[in-house]
């Protein structure tokens, strides 16, 4: 079953063997940024979810980091 690991520290994800890795924002707020306006934060979250869905539907061979 394909899964996506969304994380703030990519080297740890690679060490534990995650195959599809999507870097996120920061340790206390992996999928958000409280310094943004509510509308901008919503767009940031949508962007991360879209990247996760792209990673989920992409055929890969080995560990892959999906950057912006």
């Amino acid at each position: 079953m394909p899964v996506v690991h969304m994380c703030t520290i990519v080297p740890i994800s690679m060490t534990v063997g995650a195959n599809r890795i999507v870097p996120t924002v920061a340790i206390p707020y992996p999928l958000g940024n409280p310094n943004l306006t509510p509308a901008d934060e919503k767009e940031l979250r949508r962007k991360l979810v879209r990247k996760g869905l792209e990673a989920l539907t992409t055929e890969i061979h080995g560990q892959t980091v999906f950057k912006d």
Side-chain angles (χ1 to χ4, degrees):
M1 173 187 312
V3 298
V4 176
H5 192 211
M6 300 180 80
C7 64
T8 56
I9 305 173
V10 172
I12 292 174
S13 297
M14 296 188 82
T15 300
V16 299
N19 286 328
R20 291 175 173 85
I21 303 167
V22 174
T24 58
V25 181
I27 290 173
Y29 308 104
L31 295 175
N33 182 343
N35 296 320
L36 297 176
T37 66
D40 288 342
E41 187 172 25
K42 186 174 183 178
E43 183 54 37
L44 170 66
R45 290 177 181 193
R46 285 184 175 178
K47 179 181 171 185
L48 288 167
V49 169
R50 285 186 199 114
K51 183 59 67 178
L53 291 172
E54 175 190 332
L56 190 62
T57 58
T58 300
E59 185 175 336
I60 62 168
H61 303 285
Q63 290 182 311
T64 305
V65 178
F66 292 84
K67 298 179 182 178
D68 290 337

